[in-house]
Amino acid sequence: MTDAPQGPQPKPGILDIAPYVGGKSSIVGVAEPMKLSSNENMLGAGEKARAAYEAAVRNIHVYPDGRATKLRTAVAQTHGLEPERLIFGNGSDEVFALLNQTYLTAGDNIVCGQYGFLAYRISAKACEAEVKLAPEPNYKAEVDALLAQVDERTKIVYVSNPSNPTGSYNSGEEVRRLHAALPAHVILVIDEAYAEYVTEPDWETAFPLAKDAENILVTRTFSKIHGLGGLRIGFGYAPLKVAEAIDRIRLPFNVSVPGLEAATAALGDEAHQQASRELIATWKPRLTQALRGFGLEVLPSAGNFVLVLFETAERAAAASDYLNGKGIIVRPVGGYGLPQGLRITIGTEDQNRAVIDAFSEFAAT
């Protein structure tokens, strides 16, 4: 006879979820390592956002505006969107979680690419939903592969555009074709966390496509180009009925006073955004060329990072350890099913030169 479990037990499937592990941030014995593991903006937040954050300190005894009215208005004006269709969250991660919680029941499923962002899967599994992964043989979400996974229990299809950790992207034509082929009951989520860095001419934001659609949700974040990762601000643009449904379960004060103020200021800091874009435009091709010169495979990237692929997982681990020895932290991506890969955020000039020098030495080992 088996003893009954003692104490409270989580619902089925929770303990089967692998917890998300963020990018490593420290190295033993190194006071100030170069942290290039989390795709943060290595220029930091802009002056306007920092000033707004500091000014907000005097009001942190007051609950935030639950409707995020000031930021809602600024986002709507910046992107030409209807303010009532916006959803604000504790990072875009929370928008995904709220969407999953609103629409998924046990036995439903979501579909995403095999290397898609892990946050989609975690909250879906917490809703007792299945996660169906579409193959990405070319490290890119493929329309036909995604559609092949869709069935009558599919409620949401997630596409990262550009994608983390591969750096790939889908063209505007591909996104339109995917949406046109989906059943009306399936919500298409286009995660545009890295949108502000994209320079590829056939990439298009999905905002215009979503404007007249009943089943598209587009998300953005303030963690990347705006440099506000520590404040956790993201938003989604959804059909009004979807936004209103999600708003029924959103916690009333899910975004902080300093976060709302800093994000609003960041939207108006075009100089900081331009400097951030220029840093990536200058150094991403230089870093890519240098690493390829050492015989490494570097995938094309539309984001502020590159993914380096090695012959084996062991070689990737050795490279990560070697970089750590030089005070440089990059991101192993075994959790995404790419144990042979290392993701490297594009840093400042000094940081990028240090990465190149370290790989030059490692390549000789």
Side-chain angles (χ1 to χ4, degrees):
M1 178 176 176
T2 303
D3 292 337
Q6 300 298 309
Q9 298 296 310
K11 66 182 182 180
I14 293 296
L15 297 183
D16 296 328
I17 299 172
Y20 182 83
V21 179
K24 181 177 176 180
S25 60
S26 63
I27 301 173
V28 175
V30 180
E32 295 184 5
M34 298 181 189
K35 181 173 179 278
L36 304 176
S37 57
S38 296
N39 294 346
E40 294 148 335
N41 185 333
M42 302 315 296
L43 296 182
E47 291 182 10
K48 292 183 178 180
R50 294 198 302 270
Y53 177 87
E54 292 169 1
V57 170
R58 67 174 69 97
N59 291 318
I60 58 174
H61 64 292
V62 178
Y63 284 111
D65 171 10
R67 289 292 295 165
T69 305
K70 186 176 179 180
L71 180 58
R72 181 181 299 273
T73 300
V75 168
Q77 291 177 347
T78 298
H79 296 290
L81 307 175
E82 303 92 323
E84 65 275 11
R85 291 174 58 178
L86 296 173
I87 307 153
F88 290 90
N90 184 25
S92 51
D93 295 3
E94 188 187 22
V95 178
F96 307 140
L98 288 169
L99 178 71
N100 286 342
Q101 189 179 349
T102 303
Y103 286 93
L104 297 176
T105 58
D108 289 336
N109 67 70
I110 69 165
V111 173
C112 59
Q114 74 178 105
Y115 304 125
F117 187 37
L118 296 177
Y120 314 146
R121 315 178 195 182
I122 292 172
S123 58
K125 289 180 178 179
C127 297
E128 300 182 70
E130 180 187 0
V131 175
K132 302 181 73 175
L133 300 179
E136 296 185 13
N138 297 312
Y139 304 105
K140 170 187 170 179
E142 301 290 350
V143 173
D144 291 334
L146 289 166
L147 291 172
Q149 296 294 325
V150 174
D151 60 26
E152 67 279 357
R153 294 302 301 271
T154 302
K155 292 293 181 64
I156 306 169
V157 173
Y158 282 95
V159 176
S160 306
N161 196 27
S163 183
N164 167 34
T166 62
S168 62
Y169 74 96
N170 291 97
S171 68
E173 188 279 329
E174 288 174 320
V175 173
R176 285 189 291 274
R177 184 163 73 87
L178 173 60
H179 175 246
L182 286 175
H185 74 275
V186 176
I187 298 173
L188 174 60
V189 177
I190 307 297
D191 175 4
E192 296 185 349
Y194 299 93
E196 293 87 354
Y197 289 114
V198 182
T199 58
E200 284 70 12
D202 57 344
W203 182 91
E204 301 172 23
T205 177
F207 285 142
L209 183 62
K211 187 170 284 287
D212 297 318
E214 295 295 325
N215 61 338
I216 296 180
L217 190 155
V218 184
T219 62
R220 292 282 182 100
T221 181
F222 286 85
S223 298
K224 303 306 177 187
I225 199 165
H226 297 297
L228 301 181
L231 292 181
R232 313 306 304 123
I233 307 284
F235 72 89
Y237 174 62
L240 184 59
K241 289 182 179 179
V242 174
E244 290 177 340
I246 289 174
D247 211 40
R248 292 173 181 266
I249 64 167
R250 177 186 59 82
L251 295 178
F253 305 119
N254 61 329
V255 181
S256 71
V257 169
L260 290 170
E261 293 295 331
T264 302
L267 273 179
D269 195 346
E270 179 54 39
H272 180 67
Q273 295 172 45
Q274 185 59 28
S276 302
R277 284 190 289 266
E278 289 175 356
L279 175 68
I280 305 308
T282 298
W283 277 100
K284 184 168 61 177
R286 291 185 186 182
L287 183 63
T288 298
Q289 182 180 24
L291 298 183
R292 286 175 176 168
F294 303 141
L296 297 170
E297 181 180 2
V298 184
L299 298 186
S301 172
N304 68 333
F305 59 91
V306 293
L307 182 65
V308 183
L309 299 178
F310 296 80
E311 299 90 346
T312 64
E314 291 73 21
R315 187 65 172 166
S320 180
D321 290 343
Y322 190 87
L323 290 168
N324 284 181
K326 297 293 183 178
I328 303 168
I329 305 173
V330 296
R331 180 66 184 270
V333 286
Y336 285 91
L338 291 164
Q340 78 281 24
L342 293 178
R343 193 191 67 197
I344 307 171
T345 304
I346 307 301
T348 62
E349 178 174 351
D350 288 347
Q351 291 170 333
N352 296 326
R353 291 191 185 280
V355 169
I356 292 170
D357 288 344
F359 268 106
S360 175
E361 296 171 6
F362 177 75
T365 63

